[in-house]
Amino acid sequence: MSRNNEGNIKKHNDKLHKAQDKAKQAERDRKEKLKQIVKKFNETNSSENN
């Protein structure tokens, strides 16, 4: 039996894509958190300056 049969390739690709999706989602979450932090920081600074 070949190691590179359709079932094994599909399992591998599914696992790979799941890991890639998880990494992309984590990156989006970090960017969103950073936006929130910057927004809060800017609001705090603008209120202190007025």
Side-chain angles (χ1 to χ4, degrees), residues 10-43:
K10 182 174 179 357
K11 281 183 202 172
H12 171 76
N13 285 340
D14 289 347
K15 193 182 225 183
L16 179 65
H17 294 150
K18 187 176 180 181
Q20 288 173 340
D21 290 343
K22 192 174 180 181
K24 286 179 186 176
Q25 184 62 43
E27 182 69 24
R28 284 192 292 266
D29 291 346
R30 281 193 295 275
K31 284 183 180 179
E32 186 60 35
K33 260 186 195 171
L34 182 61
K35 279 184 192 174
Q36 294 298 325
I37 291 169
V38 168
K39 184 178 176 183
K40 190 170 184 176
F41 178 78
N42 288 336
E43 287 173 354

